[in-house]
Amino acid sequence: FRVVGDGFSLGSTIEINGTAVTAPVSFSYADRVVEVSGTKRALGLGRRGTNRIVVVERGVRSAEFVY
């Protein structure tokens, strides 16, 4: 699962539907991407349009994105 934006780091946490993803996060400053790998089930993803995504960086939560 890939999130594109600004202000991410290797310490960023991705929350999907209110649950922090425990899988390791990869990060690319040059591409402005934070990414986590896993199956839809393992990541807690539901049908498209029902997922709420938040990135937490140094205790600051991003705006919620519906996916």
Side-chain angles (χ1 to χ4, degrees):
F1 188 80
R2 175 182 275 194
V3 179
V4 179
D6 293 313
F8 301 142
S9 73
L10 194 55
S12 296
T13 303
I14 299 173
E15 291 182 2
I16 300 176
N17 298 323
T19 303
V21 176
T22 58
V25 171
S26 62
F27 165 71
S28 170
Y29 182 79
D31 295 330
R32 301 176 31 220
V33 170
V34 65
E35 185 173 41
V36 64
S37 295
T39 64
K40 287 182 181 182
R41 174 176 260 171
L43 295 176
L45 289 167
R47 288 180 292 121
R48 189 175 292 252
T50 64
N51 302 292
R52 308 275 186 260
I53 311 302
V54 174
V55 178
V56 181
E57 175 62 33
R58 291 182 223 116
V60 178
R61 298 171 60 80
S62 70
E64 185 177 84
F65 177 77
V66 178
Y67 167 77

